[in-house]
Amino acid sequence: MDAGFAAVLGAAVGALGTGSAAIGAAVLARSQARAQLAAEHARIIREPRKAAYAAFAEKVLADHNRLTTAMNYLVINFRPARAAVREAALTSARQCYESHVADSELLGHRYAQVVVEGPLRVTSTAAASSAALAAFQGEIYQCLTELEDAGHSGDDREASMEERRTESHQAYLEFIHAASRAIAADGVNTMPE
């Protein structure tokens, strides 16, 4: 083989090897850049979701606890007690209920934030939690008005309030578990809906 031809062949093989290495490095760098962008995108999405979910959960729990306090005051009226004690309990129940109602607009705002952030499985549990809380509120209101108007409430009212309280708390727990799963998704391979 001619020395010139061997030199040209060697240069060509060297150039092909260098070019192939450069192409391989470019493909690898592109893949790494995409993965980094996907991870950053997931972080950018995760933070506002986390804030919206936490704000909604805190508001639902605060409202649930306020209504539970009102319920506990109302239950005093189902037990033998002096009239003054029952009257004070009824007044305290009314104050708890009115405090909840006065602050209820904020829950709608927090719910709207959750809906905007999504995903669907989280927003549906947020809707169920809001509905269960509203049913609990309605039961408290019914008992409160019956006690204020007639001085007594239906025999099954205490059990009904307890049932609505339990449903409200269960819906709250389902929301926080769905929210936790959505936030825990890494966003790269398992992005929620």
Side-chain angles (χ1 to χ4, degrees):
M1 180 180 277
D2 185 299
F5 180 69
V8 169
L9 185 62
V13 168
L16 281 175
T18 303
S20 297
I23 290 172
V27 168
L28 180 61
R30 182 177 177 210
S31 174
Q32 288 175 337
R34 280 186 175 180
Q36 186 176 4
L37 283 173
E40 182 64 16
H41 177 72
R43 187 194 63 75
I44 289 169
I45 288 174
R46 188 178 301 124
E47 293 308 315
R49 279 186 176 177
K50 184 177 178 181
Y53 297 166
F56 179 77
E58 288 170 3
K59 179 64 177 135
V60 168
L61 186 60
D63 285 357
H64 175 83
N65 289 341
R66 198 175 301 153
L67 290 172
T68 298
T69 301
M71 182 185 90
N72 291 336
Y73 282 124
L74 290 172
V75 167
I76 291 171
N77 284 272
F78 298 129
R79 308 286 185 265
R82 291 180 299 150
V85 171
R86 290 174 39 196
E87 182 67 30
L90 193 58
T91 300
S92 295
R94 172 55 78 180
Q95 289 170 346
C96 286
Y97 180 81
E98 293 298 332
S99 171
H100 163 73
V101 170
D103 196 29
S104 63
E105 190 175 299
L106 184 57
L107 181 63
H109 176 71
R110 299 286 189 233
Y111 172 73
Q113 289 175 321
V114 170
V115 170
V116 167
E117 292 298 331
L120 181 59
R121 72 176 151 254
V122 175
T123 60
S124 63
T125 58
S129 183
S130 292
L133 187 65
F136 184 31
Q137 175 186 336
E139 197 66 39
I140 296 294
Y141 178 76
Q142 188 71 24
C143 181
L144 188 59
T145 56
E146 287 173 359
L147 287 169
E148 288 175 338
D149 294 345
H152 68 281
S153 187
D155 294 336
D156 61 342
R157 184 65 63 201
E158 183 178 357
S160 184
M161 286 190 302
E162 179 58 33
E163 183 179 335
R164 297 293 169 269
R165 187 195 70 76
T166 301
E167 290 169 357
S168 174
H169 191 256
Q170 184 61 40
Y172 161 77
L173 292 176
E174 289 171 10
F175 167 75
I176 61 172
H177 290 298
S180 177
R181 285 189 299 272
I183 291 170
D186 68 6
V188 178
N189 296 320
T190 58
M191 180 68 92
E193 302 169 11

